[in-house]
Amino acid sequence: MAHFKPPAMDHRTLCELQCQLVNTPCAATGTLSGPTCPDIDLTAAAATTTVHAVKCPNGQWPPSYTADDDDEACDGGRPRRGGLRPLLRHLRRLPPAARLERLLLGGVQPGSLPEQATLAWHPSQALLAALDDSNRIQLYNYSGQLPLLGQGRGGRPPLLQPTQVLQHELQQQASAAAWRPFGGQCLVVGVAHGACLWHIGRPPAGGALRSDSGAWLTWLKAPSPGPVTALAWHPQGHLLAGATPQSQAGFHVWDVATGTATPVSAGREAVSLLRWSPCGSYLLAAHPAGAFTIWQTQAWWSQRWVAAAAGGGGGGGGGGSGEVVEACWGADSRSLVLAYSNSPQLVCLHFTQDPPSLQAQLLPLPLPELDGKGGSLVQALAWDPRAQRLAVAVGSAHPAAGCVALYDTRCDPILSARFIGFMRLGPLGEAAPGGGTAGGAGGEAGWDWDVIQADEAAEASAAVRGSTSQAKTGKPDDAAAAAAGAQRSGLGSGPGAGGPAGAGAGKRPQLAFLPSFAQGAVLAARTGNHIAAVPLYFAA
């Protein structure tokens, strides 16, 4: 069928209209063929030097702050002097050059980016948070930027600019972000040694903290060293689960009001992914080896599961599917969809009884459109809050590599998925380099996941020539072009990408659905520094 084929490489998917995808040429000018949301380029945000106030609820600062600083900053768990003195004293101890670097760049260390790009929608507002390559959180307000049906068609909108950029001395090795439910504009960022809980707005009147920057943060110290790479909020917003897989077995749960962290573990396995169910009764903890544990959070009992290589299996089965790339809960908390790094198919855990029962069946979710010669590794996954749209980022050797497969889903009572089509989410106004076809097996099939401007391409070419000229037999320019193509596809260094580890700056793309959109859903897709938002109109 025609909709089984991905759009041409020089086309962009604008929206979905009742199970029909609307595409247009990327270089189109004038009136477009459907409603369009503005794109985001994370490299366009200017550097900031704002100093933010800090609160430390339990008196435990990171190792970079001394005991003297702790005494001056906190007294019985309450901050004094606005919580800024530890930061200022710490900066004064640094050499002038390092002090300037910390203030301007936040002490960023190259190569500290997570394997997957970070993207998070606010649970009740059209606010999008994205972590850039400088350990900064960029906030984008889509209010008024999401077109509704009946508003007419327009031209290509300009790039959306950030409303705020959050950075701090404590925000090092940032790798995860999540908005707090029922917390206003409150965002947590997983960093080295703990988490930065950002509060957008000025501190409460009459409090000990003083800040004119429009944002302040609470420091949550992790019970074990290493970066916090997995975060999940309880749906009521009072508990926060975090994991430091490099140094901790299991995970820990913060009581956000007091800053106290309680370790939770059912063995010696680390945790690489955390997802709390919408009802709050279940917490998924995925392990690097491929198994995952479901915790019942009323009595904190647990059940361990392992998926077989073919996508089936049960509580004590084989394995071989690789690491859990992503997991998404259904709206009723009775279904859990999981994607594995070495499997072209998805699996679904169906709970057979009401929460908090742990009785469940692990079944494959057939997606024949993802089957292809050589396999099609799933790179990212998102399920909309209505449980009616499932988005899968396709990679590997599939003809639609670099596209997003969109499905219409129903749970009655077992989850089923009906294929809608492939979406290509390249930037508008850019033509496909060198032509080419969408069915190629190489990295060029996904060129339009990312935007690489001329100066960035030149820098990448120079870096590749310097590092690979002696290791490759071809021409340096050819090697640079191949590396740039892999980086543009977003498949360069992800699992199953087909290249050596660290052979590029590419990370797995990330998909995220806006939780509140009256006419359906809005899908945000990010790889590298490019973010595209696509409205899906399917609700009456």
Side-chain angles (χ1 to χ4, degrees), residues 89 162 176 187 289 373 380 387 435 446:
R89 288 174 62 92
L187 175 76
K373 185 177 181 181

Side-chain angles (χ1 to χ4, degrees), residues 405-421:
L406 186 64
Y407 292 87
D408 177 32
T409 57
R410 294 292 184 270
C411 297
D412 191 24
I414 303 299
L415 177 64
S416 61
R418 183 174 66 90
F419 183 64
I420 295 177

Side-chain angles (χ1 to χ4, degrees), residues 449-462:
W449 267 111
D450 195 7
V451 185
I452 294 188
Q453 303 295 340
D455 54 342
E456 296 173 320
E459 293 178 3
S461 177

Side-chain angles (χ1 to χ4, degrees), residues 180-195:
R180 183 180 184 180
F182 302 104
Q185 294 185 9
C186 186
L187 175 76
V188 66
V189 183
V191 299
H193 310 297

